[in-house]
Amino acid sequence: MTTRRKPSKVLTKILASIDEDKLRRTRERMLVACKIADTLEVKGLTQKEFAKMLGKSESEISELLSGNRNFTFDTLSDMANCLGMDLFPLSFIPTKIVSKEEAEVNLSETRKSAVYDMEDIRTIPHSFGSWQVYPTSGCLSLAL
Amino acid sequence: MNFDIVEIAEFSGDKAKIYSIILEGDDDTLLNQFFDENQQYEEELEEIAARLLTMGNYTGCRIQFFKEHEGAPGDGIVALWYKRMRLYCLRFDNTCIFIGSGGYKPTDISAYQENPLLNVKAQQMRAIAASINKAIIEKDLKVLEDGTLEKSDFLNLEI
């Protein structure tokens, strides 16, 4: 009983074809589905009620919560909003409302002309007749 | 016909133990047979395998991942599905699942009973589930907290 058996050739091939990316996507899709299902349970909502709240069919919700279907960002956003949960915290992104005038001033300030020092640049003739530009210092070189 | 339960090490993990069935006289588990018989549906098989790996190691076999009511009322038969592919299982709880066989559900049918091949697979799983459920009720088979199985000396699984 419960003796381990080797997987068949087909199963071995299928397992080998599942790369890290595929596995990560499946895992994260299913974990998000778990989080949503847990929240539904806490709030005492059925999938049918949830579907109605989102204006979707019950079978669509069932597919999403089974991990079968890929969530679109909009669907996730709607679900999170509907359940009052934070599926993807965006608060770390610094945002600030600025007036149109303030934005224009900032933009013009960033577009000041600059003088470029060309002292370190010298040109040498290429053996085929064209010109190549090499910086004489720094770690980058242009090889055309 | 007697059968045995085999742990599928490739899918089992900390979150769930994944088992399949091997029928008396067969060399392969029903899970291996399922993959062999449906090898032309590569995308579906890949998705099902990736989900079994995830369930075993990360999420457990939560009921939301399955189609319910695929067998008799209360017998625990569920189907893991992707697109038109069906894999019939007996789900004990989040930590333990017994995988049977399944197949491709043609687009022109709505119930598995309409397809002879799929019906045979589903009926086979019902018989296996009845036997395992009986063994659990009679305490000849015990599912421990982490999904591992403990059998009594009197365990006799047959369909």
Side-chain angles (χ1 to χ4, degrees):
Chain A
M1 165 90 133
T2 70
T3 314
R4 294 186 175 198
R5 294 279 173 135
K6 280 187 177 176
S8 70
K9 279 183 184 171
V10 178
L11 179 51
T12 306
K13 188 183 145 207
I14 292 287
L15 286 170
S17 70
I18 301 171
D19 59 18
E20 274 303 310
D21 289 335
K22 160 83 181 161
L23 200 55
R24 174 182 44 79
R25 284 187 215 114
T26 305
R27 181 179 65 234
E28 290 184 0
R29 200 169 64 231
M30 289 171 79
L31 285 169
V32 167
C34 288
K35 190 169 180 181
I36 294 167
D38 285 347
T39 310
L40 283 179
E41 199 178 331
V42 167
K43 292 190 177 283
L45 283 168
T46 62
Q47 285 191 17
K48 194 176 180 177
E49 289 164 337
F50 189 44
K52 201 174 173 186
M53 288 164 82
L54 287 169
K56 292 185 182 292
S57 69
E58 200 182 340
S59 65
E60 203 175 340
I61 296 298
S62 168
E63 283 245 7
L64 286 164
L65 294 186
S66 71
N68 249 347
R69 198 188 284 192
N70 205 354
F71 293 94
T72 65
F73 191 85
D74 287 354
T75 301
L76 276 179
S77 179
D78 289 348
M79 285 179 157
N81 182 53
C82 189
L83 295 173
M85 61 195 291
D86 205 0
L87 271 176
F88 20 77
L90 300 174
S91 54
F92 65 89
I93 298 176
T95 55
K96 182 188 164 192
I97 298 171
V98 291
S99 67
K100 197 180 169 190
E101 293 74 24
E102 202 181 348
E104 280 170 358
V105 169
N106 286 340
L107 197 61
S108 64
E109 278 173 0
T110 60
R111 286 186 178 171
K112 279 178 184 168
S113 60
V115 178
Y116 293 95
D117 186 0
M118 301 290 281
E119 262 182 25
D120 279 352
I121 305 290
R122 66 187 171 90
T123 56
I124 54 165
H126 194 271
S127 56
F128 296 105
S130 59
W131 292 84
Q132 266 187 314
V133 179
Y134 294 96
T136 52
S137 62
C139 57
L140 287 175
S141 64
L142 279 171
L144 299 176
Chain B
M1 183 192 293
N2 289 332
F3 68 88
D4 208 349
I5 299 168
V6 178
E7 183 174 358
I8 309 296
E10 289 72 26
F11 295 129
S12 273
D14 292 343
K15 296 288 179 184
K17 299 286 180 272
I18 316 277
Y19 301 97
S20 190
I21 305 300
I22 188 159
L23 299 174
E24 190 179 16
D26 280 359
D27 292 329
D28 253 341
T29 60
L30 293 182
L31 181 70
N32 273 344
Q33 289 176 28
F34 166 78
F35 275 88
D36 287 349
E37 289 165 7
N38 297 287
Q39 55 183 295
Q40 68 270 38
Y41 302 105
E42 209 169 313
E43 186 199 340
E44 285 84 347
L45 295 187
E46 247 187 44
E47 180 64 28
I48 283 176
R51 290 170 63 186
L52 285 170
L53 276 168
T54 305
M55 282 190 251
N57 294 287
Y58 299 99
T59 61
C61 302
R62 297 170 61 124
I63 191 66
Q64 71 191 79
F65 298 140
F66 301 90
K67 265 188 192 299
E68 292 179 80
H69 316 301
E70 295 287 313
D75 68 358
I77 292 190
V78 293
L80 185 59
W81 91 108
Y82 181 67
K83 292 188 176 174
R84 305 294 297 180
M85 189 59 73
R86 303 288 184 271
L87 177 58
Y88 296 107
C89 317
L90 168 62
R91 178 182 168 275
F92 182 77
D93 62 10
N94 284 0
T95 66
C96 175
I97 195 157
F98 304 90
I99 298 175
S101 192
Y104 191 82
K105 187 178 172 185
T107 48
D108 59 340
I109 64 164
S110 54
Y112 70 78
Q113 290 90 342
E114 295 169 48
N115 180 263
L117 186 68
L118 214 50
N119 193 34
V120 165
K121 305 286 186 189
Q123 294 304 332
Q124 181 190 52
M125 195 63 219
R126 286 177 75 162
I128 289 166
S131 182
I132 293 176
N133 285 333
K134 184 169 172 273
I136 291 171
I137 290 165
E138 291 175 355
K139 301 192 191 313
D140 286 332
L141 183 66
K142 197 174 171 188
V143 181
L144 304 181
E145 210 171 302
D146 67 347
T148 51
L149 300 179
E150 205 175 74
K151 65 160 190 164
S152 81
D153 294 337
F154 307 103
L155 179 66
N156 180 36
L157 296 166
E158 61 178 344
I159 52 174

